[in-house]
Each structure stands twice: as structure tokens, then as C-alpha cells.
Amino acid sequence: MFVPLFAVSVIVAFGLAFGVSVIFKRMTATVLSRNLAENVSQATTQILQIAILLVGVSNGARIHLLKDYLTHLLQYETGECADEAGIVEPGDV
């Protein structure tokens, strides 16, 4: 169950990050071409495109949230109490 959830979250994160990267490509290229030489601005634009993709995918695929979801799901299925598992609920603090 973890692998399909993780795969879907990575695919969605990649799609959104790619969309944002495409949307902002022209804007970043314009701004950088005003301030830098042509070859440097092109290289910097490509590096920014890759950085947007990497940050988008790494922030979009939240492994910790998936782990928490699956932990709570397994506890619900097995009938374990949250106190026995060492999980502190927001109202318990």
C-alpha cells in the first residue's frame, strides 16, 4: 500500500513542479538575460529549471506524512490504541 501511494504522490508532485517550471521559464529567462551575459543567462535558466523540479518533487512527495497515514491506518485495522503505540494526539498535550 505504501508503494502505490508514494508513486502517486511523486507523479503528482512531478507534474505540478513541471507545470510551474514551464510557466516561469520565460520570466526567469527574461530577468536573467537583462542582468547577465547571454550564455550565462541560458545556463542559469536551465539550472533554475532543474532546481524547481527537484525542490517541487522533494517537497511534494512527503514520505513522513505517508508513514504517519499508514501507521494510523494499521493501528485502526488492528485495533491498537494510540496511547499504546506512543503516539501523542493534539488534544492530549
Side-chain angles (χ1 to χ4, degrees):
M1 181 167 200
F2 177 78
V3 175
L5 282 174
F6 181 68
V8 168
S9 68
V10 167
I11 290 169
V12 169
F14 181 78
L16 288 173
F18 183 75
V20 169
S21 176
V22 168
I23 289 171
F24 288 106
K25 181 178 184 178
R26 188 177 54 132
M27 183 182 67
T28 55
T30 303
V31 170
L32 291 173
S33 67
R34 290 180 189 165
N35 298 321
L36 299 172
E38 186 64 31
N39 58 352
V40 176
S41 68
Q42 288 175 355
T44 307
T45 302
Q46 290 176 353
I47 291 171
L48 282 174
Q49 296 288 310
I50 293 169
I52 290 171
L53 283 174
L54 289 176
V55 170
V57 171
S58 66
N59 284 333
R62 298 178 180 177
I63 283 199
H64 184 69
L65 289 177
L66 285 174
K67 184 186 78 103
D68 289 344
Y69 170 74
L70 291 175
T71 302
H72 288 292
L73 184 66
L74 289 174
Q75 288 174 356
Y76 178 75
E77 288 176 354
T78 59
E80 281 185 30
C81 180
D83 293 335
E84 294 173 1
I87 298 172
V88 177
E89 298 294 328
D92 295 341
V93 178

